[in-house]
């Protein structure tokens, strides 16, 4: 792990992290306050059976969005040196988790939020990689 300082982190990475944190808050609102709408019209769930269980699980996921949103905003404001690592960790764990879950269950719902999440992952990865590249070249310039 490269030892980074807050000053080395590109401003774009800070802005992206704040944006992703705000997006997680928006996802939390959709998954909790707009629970039934999200389940039917975004996720494509069939609520004719196990309605309460499906909505409960969707709502619990919304709570985790508030937590990650809060952490991302705090990291952007108070621990910038963690940004490139966090932006790699988030999509990595979603991918690993999905691979593990997919061994047990294949969703039959539409998963309407999937395109947005793929964009979310791509933005996180590109921002992290570009941050490491910028930091590398800045350090290299300073040493010459």
């Amino acid at each position: 792990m490269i030892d980074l300082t807050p000053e080395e982190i590109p401003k774009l990475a800070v802005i992206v992290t704040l944006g992703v944190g705000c997006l997680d808050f928006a996802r939390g609102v959709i998954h909790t306050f707009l629970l039934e709408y999200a389940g039917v019209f975004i996720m494509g769930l069939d609520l004719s059976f196990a309605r309460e269980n499906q909505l409960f699980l969707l709502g619990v996921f919304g709570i985790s969005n508030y937590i990650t949103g809060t952490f991302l905003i705090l990291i952007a404001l108070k621990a910038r040196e963690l940004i490139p690592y966090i932006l790699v960790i988030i999509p990595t764990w979603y991918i690993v988790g999905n691979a593990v879950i997919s061994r047990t269950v294949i969703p039959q719902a539409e998963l309407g939020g999937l395109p947005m999440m793929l964009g979310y992952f791509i933005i996180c990865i590109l921002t992290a990689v570009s941050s490491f590249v910028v930091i590398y070249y800045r350090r290299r310039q300073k040493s010459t």
Side-chain angles (χ1 to χ4, degrees), residues 111-142:
L111 304 177
L114 189 58
M116 188 274 305
M117 288 305 296
L118 290 174
Y120 178 103
F121 298 153
I122 290 168
I123 288 168
C124 285
I125 291 167
L126 289 176
T127 303
V129 169
S130 67
S131 295
F132 283 120
V133 169
V134 166
I135 291 164
Y136 171 79
Y137 280 107
R138 284 181 182 167
R139 283 184 176 186
R140 199 165 157 211
Q141 257 184 337
K142 277 186 178 180

Side-chain angles (χ1 to χ4, degrees), residues 17-18 21-22 25 68-78:
T17 304
L18 284 169
C22 291
F25 266 101
T68 57
T70 301
F71 286 166
L72 286 165
I73 291 168
L74 284 172
I75 287 167
L77 298 175
K78 298 292 184 181

Side-chain angles (χ1 to χ4, degrees), residues 9 26-29 32 35 38 47 57 68 80-81 86 101 105 109 116 126 136-138 143:
I9 305 305
R27 291 174 56 217
V29 169
T32 55
L35 191 55
L47 297 179
L57 291 173
T68 57
R80 292 179 177 188
E81 65 276 9
I86 294 299
I101 292 167
V105 63
M116 188 274 305
L126 289 176
Y136 171 79
Y137 280 107
R138 284 181 182 167
S143 67

Side-chain angles (χ1 to χ4, degrees), residues 20-69:
V20 171
C22 291
L23 178 60
D24 273 0
F25 266 101
R27 291 174 56 217
V29 169
I30 291 168
H31 284 235
T32 55
F33 290 100
L34 304 173
L35 191 55
E36 193 165 342
Y37 175 85
V40 173
F41 296 107
I42 297 174
M43 186 79 174
L45 298 176
D46 177 3
L47 297 179
S48 65
F49 61 95
R51 178 183 186 282
E52 277 69 26
N53 290 336
Q54 291 183 75
L55 292 178
F56 176 78
L57 291 173
L58 195 60
V60 168
F61 187 70
I63 294 167
S64 72
N65 292 135
Y66 292 124
I67 295 167
T68 57

